[in-house]
Amino acid sequence: MFDRKQFLKTSIAGLLPLGFTGFTSPKIYSGKKPVVISTWRTAVNANKSAWSVLTKGGYALDAVEEGVKVEEANPDNSTVGYGGRPDRDGRVTLDACVMDETGNCGSVACLENIMHPVSVARKIMTDSPHAMLVGPGAKQFALSQGFKEQDLLTPESKAAWEKWLESGNYSPPTINIENHDTIGMLALDSQGRISGACTTSGAAWKMHGRVGDSPIIGSGLFIDPMIGGAVATGLGEEVIKTAGSHLVVEMMRAGHSPNEACKIAVERIIERDPKNKEGVQVAYIALNTDGAYGGYSIRKGFDSVVTDPDGMRTEQVGYLY
Ligand code: SD4
């Protein structure tokens, strides 16, 4: 049988050496809609919340915001929002961003004492002339928009920090399911609109002011309205150095499936510095505007949660080591 999508992909691949960067239109909605996919198996409740928006015919951007807010408010999640581990000075600093189906984005970094940085990021997108605000300026903006200040350092986080202070050694952690569940989420709604969100407290015991990949558009999250989107999790410094999520989306533009595109992006991290074989974890998930999705990680241990009309499931992704 003639497979139109395969034909387009093969044709595009053949044309790439000629400088042709791929068809961007028309979109072919052959996948299942709506669909939401998020990083790490811990994100079940977040997916449920996003799905409750999507299943009523709601907007993908509302779905991802509502979804990741569940983890921002969860004191048991030590890598996102309330309960997130602090930096080496005992301060909880949060990074988040959103991107919508038109390629609009908002981002916030190093935000303190505000429970829902993802909502601040969305407000930056919709109610400010900017794409990104950081630190005290971001907080000032959040307060002006009615967000309330609150202490995000839970007794458990404080105790963990005090224990860490006994050694005070920082070495980039091997982020994996045992110690990390930063949430990145992508959704395609029933009208075919794609959006993404990413939110984290970043690396525990980081230097004050450290910003990871999660709020950096093109690193922790990227959406191309005509192609699809990708989000990252893992050691942010390595994602930033390879502009990871943008790379994934560009690989999908070049005709690769979401799985292949994510694999190319994790391989790039090893190609850039082969020492990253030794302990670094980075994972990407991707969703295209057809509703096809995939993921790939450097090492074993990463999985994603997917919900579509067939139900919710945890899916292992491929890995290099
Ligand atoms: C960061 N990428 O700040 C984030 C951390 C992360 O699961 O994803 N943890 O580097």
Side-chain angles (χ1 to χ4, degrees):
M1 205 178 95
F2 176 67
D3 182 338
R4 181 160 185 260
K5 264 206 288 185
Q6 194 50 49
F7 169 74
L8 284 174
K9 282 178 186 164
T10 316
S11 310
I12 292 166
L15 289 166
L16 286 175
L18 306 176
F20 180 74
T21 54
F23 291 110
T24 54
S25 184
K27 284 184 257 189
I28 309 160
Y29 292 126
S30 58
K32 294 238 163 84
K33 278 188 299 174
V35 55
V36 54
I37 177 167
S38 56
T39 55
W40 305 109
R41 75 182 76 135
T42 42
V44 166
N45 288 336
N47 260 52
K48 276 187 192 154
S49 172
W51 184 249
S52 70
V53 174
L54 294 173
T55 198
K56 290 187 210 107
Y59 178 28
L61 184 62
D62 292 334
V64 294
E65 181 184 4
E66 288 312 310
V68 304
K69 275 172 76 177
V70 170
E71 290 306 314
E72 289 181 338
N74 175 6
D76 297 329
N77 185 331
S78 60
T79 59
V80 180
Y82 181 53
R85 295 294 182 253
D87 64 18
R88 61 177 57 179
D89 300 340
R91 295 162 75 160
V92 180
T93 66
L94 305 177
D95 297 340
C97 69
V98 293
M99 213 162 171
D100 73 10
E101 79 287 358
T102 69
N104 264 336
C105 61
S107 160
V108 67
C110 208
L111 178 68
E112 292 182 72
N113 299 106
I114 304 285
M115 170 90 84
H116 290 300
V118 72
S119 301
V120 179
R122 185 170 177 177
K123 277 277 176 198
I124 291 168
M125 175 173 86
T126 55
D127 289 55
S128 92
H130 305 302
M132 184 172 197
L133 291 174
V134 305
K139 185 159 155 192
Q140 193 184 351
F141 172 76
L143 296 176
S144 76
Q145 295 292 317
F147 290 87
K148 297 280 171 272
E149 256 192 293
Q150 72 187 91
D151 188 3
L152 301 176
L153 188 67
T154 57
E156 292 72 25
S157 272
K158 187 160 183 281
W161 171 62
E162 283 164 353
K163 184 150 185 10
W164 173 78
L165 279 179
E166 289 168 16
S167 73
N169 288 332
Y170 179 83
S171 55
T174 301
I175 288 166
N176 220 335
I177 185 62
E178 308 78 42
N179 59 358
H180 259 260
D181 35 24
T182 284
I183 184 160
M185 184 178 271
L186 299 165
L188 181 68
D189 66 28
S190 47
Q191 292 183 43
R193 296 170 296 192
I194 187 167
S195 295
C198 192
T199 181
T200 188
S201 53
W205 335 133
K206 61 194 175 184
M207 290 173 73
H208 182 63
R210 181 264 190 189
V211 172
D213 60 307
S214 303
I216 308 290
I217 298 298
S219 291
L221 168 69
F222 194 70
I223 303 278
D224 182 304
M226 306 306 283
I227 305 296
V231 285
T233 183
L235 187 62
E237 281 75 4
E238 295 307 318
V239 177
I240 291 172
K241 287 171 198 171
T242 48
S245 291
H246 185 259
L247 176 59
V248 172
V249 173
E250 286 305 297
M251 290 301 102
M252 292 198 291
R253 186 196 303 281
H256 294 283
S257 70
N259 265 333
E260 289 162 358
C262 292
K263 182 167 189 256
I264 290 167
V266 296
E267 283 170 344
R268 185 69 58 85
I269 290 172
I270 305 298
E271 280 159 27
R272 195 199 66 74
D273 184 354
K275 286 199 295 303
N276 285 330
K277 273 184 194 159
E278 282 152 30
V280 168
Q281 173 66 308
V282 168
Y284 295 103
I285 56 172
L287 171 68
N288 70 21
T289 50
D290 295 346
Y293 61 85
Y296 220 88
S297 59
I298 296 181
R299 27 189 28 88
K300 195 175 172 182
F302 172 76
D303 41 28
S304 60
V305 181
V306 182
T307 312
D308 68 10
D310 292 339
M312 180 186 287
R313 54 210 175 262
T314 299
E315 294 201 1
Q316 294 289 330
V317 303
Y319 51 87
L320 298 178
Y321 309 109

